[in-house]
Amino acid sequence: MIDRITPEARRIARPDAVLRGEEDGVGPTVLLLHAGGERRQVWTPVIDVLVDAGFRCVAFDQRGHGDSDGSLRALAPCADDVAAMLRAESPGCVVVGASLGGLATIAALGDPAVRARVAGLVLVDVVPDPEPHRVRRFLAAGGMLDAHSEIVDDILAQLPRLRQIATELDMPVLLVRGTASPLLGDDVDRLLRLVPHATVIPIRGAGHLVARDQPERLAETITAVASEWPALALLRALDTGQLAHPGGNLFDHLQRVRDLVASLGGGRRVRLAALCHACYGTDGFPHPLLPLDRRTRLQAAIGDEAEALVYRYAACDRNQTYARLGATPLLLTDRFTGELVALAAADLADFALLTIANELDIARTARLTSEARRDIRALVTALASYVPDVAVRALTDPSLR
């Protein structure tokens, strides 16, 4: 668990409203948009889990709700509000939208410039084209239809446009549905036809308001699925798919190394670092994707702890550092600054795991001489004192025999 800070108040002035909210935590940003009739505080138990998992969370009261003013009569102003929230953040946000929040987000994503700022979308028990009779019946049963008939009519009139926008979503999309929700039926199948790459995860014991019914399970689902979305969005923006690398291109290599780290038991920090380990270049791949004065961009995508590991891996002067392998702590020579940095405990284990996974992928995909394969085996053997089980598994890989 990380040290918590006091949530910071947020304010966005719109032409006809002032939106008020708050932010909490550090790391990749998750923007949370509540359902109609709710307030931002509904996200508090979700935020508690996400912040402890290393995310920065931003939640606003939507217009006409809670501390935000403005009228709630049509979807377009709500969508414009979402766009304003996203423009106030660095690119690469994960957006979580429940019911009205999800519909407003889809409408906002109709603008390609807004869409480019989003790393992925989590829809909480809402689809782009809910069945109108089912919606009206649900709202009437809760006594909400008469009070909100104007915006309900407007939203239902926008469904063809929302369906069209959904077909244009070129980002990861997750639908979290409550298994006890009365709102989603064959709507889910329609979503998958509109967005074939979408993922659907049911949450048992939850109705339509999943954040109220199962907040911890919802937060765990977001963490498990969306952790890598900001990193992947950054790698695409850096055109890693266009850079040649053994086995195809750099984007594919980075994902394979991430998968190897996961298969070898690496935790979230080292998995994220594996996915971005080439961002500053390395001693063996001198093609930095980001200059070192842009470290904040990578920190925003993967968090400070994972970025620190990426930096150490990139900064490693291999000739000098590898000569010391086996020592604990390991003195790493920083090729950028010339400093000596002592690596020990989890930092050293993660550095060793990342190094082994990267070399193993090269052994599997590159055309190497026998001498080069012997050098990789020797390197893995030298790292074995830091991650013995990982080294044993790597040395039995056919590419290193």
Side-chain angles (χ1 to χ4, degrees), residues 40-291:
R40 68 181 186 271
Q41 285 81 4
V42 73
W43 296 115
T44 298
V46 175
I47 289 172
D48 288 343
V49 177
L50 291 177
V51 169
D52 284 343
F55 289 94
R56 170 178 171 266
C57 295
V58 178
F60 282 89
D61 287 328
Q62 293 201 67
R63 62 170 50 231
H65 293 78
D67 296 326
S68 296
D69 51 27
S71 61
L72 186 67
R73 296 193 178 95
L75 185 61
C78 298
D80 291 343
D81 292 345
V82 174
M85 295 173 196
L86 288 168
R87 285 193 295 269
E89 302 296 335
S90 298
C93 286
V94 172
V95 182
V96 180
S99 198
L100 173 62
L103 294 169
T105 301
I106 295 170
L109 295 177
D111 181 344
V114 175
R115 199 158 60 240
R117 304 186 71 83
V118 176
L121 172 63
V122 180
L123 297 171
V124 183
D125 213 64
V126 66
V127 294
D129 58 345
E131 203 283 321
H133 295 299
R134 192 181 296 132
V135 170
R136 292 184 186 280
R137 186 167 57 247
F138 172 79
L139 293 174
M144 298 177 62
L145 183 59
D146 290 341
H148 301 287
S149 60
E150 192 171 357
I151 189 170
V152 172
D153 290 343
D154 182 73
I155 289 173
L156 296 178
Q158 303 297 321
L159 296 189
R161 174 61 178 148
L162 296 178
R163 281 195 294 270
Q164 178 59 41
I165 294 171
T167 66
E168 300 166 358
L169 295 179
D170 53 357
M171 63 187 68
V173 177
L174 167 66
L175 170 63
V176 177
R177 60 172 303 189
T179 58
S181 172
L183 278 180
L184 300 186
D186 55 3
D187 300 356
V188 176
D189 294 331
R190 285 203 310 280
L191 171 68
L192 294 175
R193 288 194 294 270
L194 293 170
V195 191
H197 63 275
T199 302
V200 180
I201 296 181
I203 294 189
R204 296 187 179 280
H208 179 57
L209 300 176
V210 183
R212 284 191 177 276
D213 296 339
Q214 293 288 344
E216 291 188 3
R217 182 73 181 92
L218 174 59
E220 290 164 358
T221 300
I222 295 169
T223 299
V225 175
S227 289
E228 295 179 354
W229 288 357
L232 291 169
L234 174 60
L235 294 175
R236 292 189 183 98
L238 295 173
D239 291 328
T240 54
Q242 306 304 313
L243 295 175
H245 195 279
N249 59 65
L250 181 59
F251 186 64
D252 290 342
H253 165 69
L254 296 171
Q255 292 184 94
R256 289 195 304 270
V257 175
R258 180 271 320 276
D259 292 343
L260 274 169
V261 163
S263 71
L264 293 169
R268 179 170 176 261
R269 177 206 188 198
V270 67
R271 292 197 304 270
L272 288 170
L275 195 56
C276 299
H277 72 266
C279 278
Y280 306 135
T282 69
D283 211 356
F285 188 76
H287 305 287
L289 309 176
L290 285 172

